[in-house]
Amino acid sequence: EADIYQTPRYLVIGTGKKITLECSQTMGHDKMYWYQQDPGMELHLIHYSYGVNSTEKGDLSSESTVSRIRTEHFPLTLESARPSHTSQYLCASSEWLAEYNEQFFGPGTRLTVL
Amino acid sequence: AQSVSQHNHHVILSEAASLELGCNYSYGGTVNLFWYVQYPGQHLQLLLKYFSGDPLVKGIKGFEAEFIKSKFSFNLRKPSVQWSDTAEYFCAVSFGNQFYFGTGTSLTVIP
C-alpha cells in the first residue's frame, strides 16, 4: 500500500545530540517536504526537494539539514539538538506540480529536546 | 508576506449543529485552495480542494467549501456535524511553488 512513513514517532533527547528524523514514501512522488508544527501555530515549511539531489530551504529558517539521495527517502538531520528544536516535524510528499496535487502527510515525529 | 488566516482557533459544537470555519488569504493572484483535517492521532489528510471551475466544492464526509474570490475567502461548511468530526482543521493556499497553511481550527463536537 502506498504510504508515507516517519520514524521515530516520538523522540526525547538531550541537548547537543545529533539526530536524524527519517521519512520514506512509497507513493512514487518526486516532491517531498518537511514542516515544523507547534501547537496552535501554522505548519511552517522548513525544507523541500524536487527530486534526487535537490534540496531547498523553506520559509522558516531552520538549523536542520536534509538530503535526497533516493527518491523515496528524505531524512532530516539536526547536528546538535537544542531545546528550541522541540516541536512536531511532519514529512509530506506530492506529485511534481504541488499546486495541482494534494500533499500527503506522514504521521509526524514529536521531538523533545531536554 | 503572503498569509492564510483562520479566525476561529477553537470551536465547540453540539452534534447536529451546523459548522462554518473561516479561511482568508492575502495573495492577489491565482491560487489553489485546500482544507486538510487531522483527526486525533492520525495523519493530516485532504478534505477538499479548489483549483478552478465551480466555486462550491464538495469533499469527503459531507464537507463543502465555497471560494469567494472578491473576499479572498474559502470557508469550510458542514450542515450537521457529528462527534467523529472532532479534529483539527487546516486551510492551505498554494501559488507557484509556494504552499502556506493557516494556524488551524480545533473543532470539538459534543455528543
Side-chain angles (χ1 to χ4, degrees), chain B residues 32-86:
Chain B
N32 301 296
L33 301 154
F34 307 80
W35 274 97
Y36 281 83
V37 61
Q38 188 171 29
Y39 298 104
Q42 295 190 25
H43 305 200
L44 266 169
Q45 58 185 282
L46 186 71
L47 261 184
L48 47 79
K49 59 190 176 187
Y50 170 81
F51 297 142
S52 62
D54 189 344
L56 183 63
V57 293
K58 295 190 184 298
I60 60 172
K61 304 187 181 186
F63 285 91
E64 64 179 31
E66 185 175 13
F67 170 50
I68 302 179
K69 189 174 181 180
S70 60
K71 294 185 178 180
F72 299 91
S73 70
F74 190 56
N75 293 354
L76 180 71
R77 298 195 294 250
K78 185 170 184 179
S80 177
V81 295
Q82 301 172 309
W83 174 79
S84 57
D85 293 323
T86 294

Side-chain angles (χ1 to χ4, degrees), chain A residues 3-4 9 31 35 37 40-43 48 50 59 88 90 98-107, chain B residues 9 32 34 36 38 41-46 49 51 88 90 94-104:
Chain A
D3 208 340
I4 182 163
R9 292 292 308 278
K31 291 190 78 170
Y35 289 89
Q37 181 187 24
M41 305 289 287
E42 61 261 48
L43 279 72
Y48 61 99
Y50 293 114
D59 304 314
Q88 168 140 283
L90 295 176
E99 61 187 300
Y100 297 112
N101 291 280
E102 65 183 277
Q103 294 189 13
F104 293 83
F105 285 84
Chain B
H9 295 295
N32 301 296
F34 307 80
Y36 281 83
Q38 188 171 29
Q42 295 190 25
H43 305 200
L44 266 169
Q45 58 185 282
L46 186 71
K49 59 190 176 187
F51 297 142
E88 190 92 15
F90 292 90
S94 78
F95 48 90
N97 272 323
Q98 305 302 313
F99 208 102
Y100 294 95
F101 283 86
T103 54

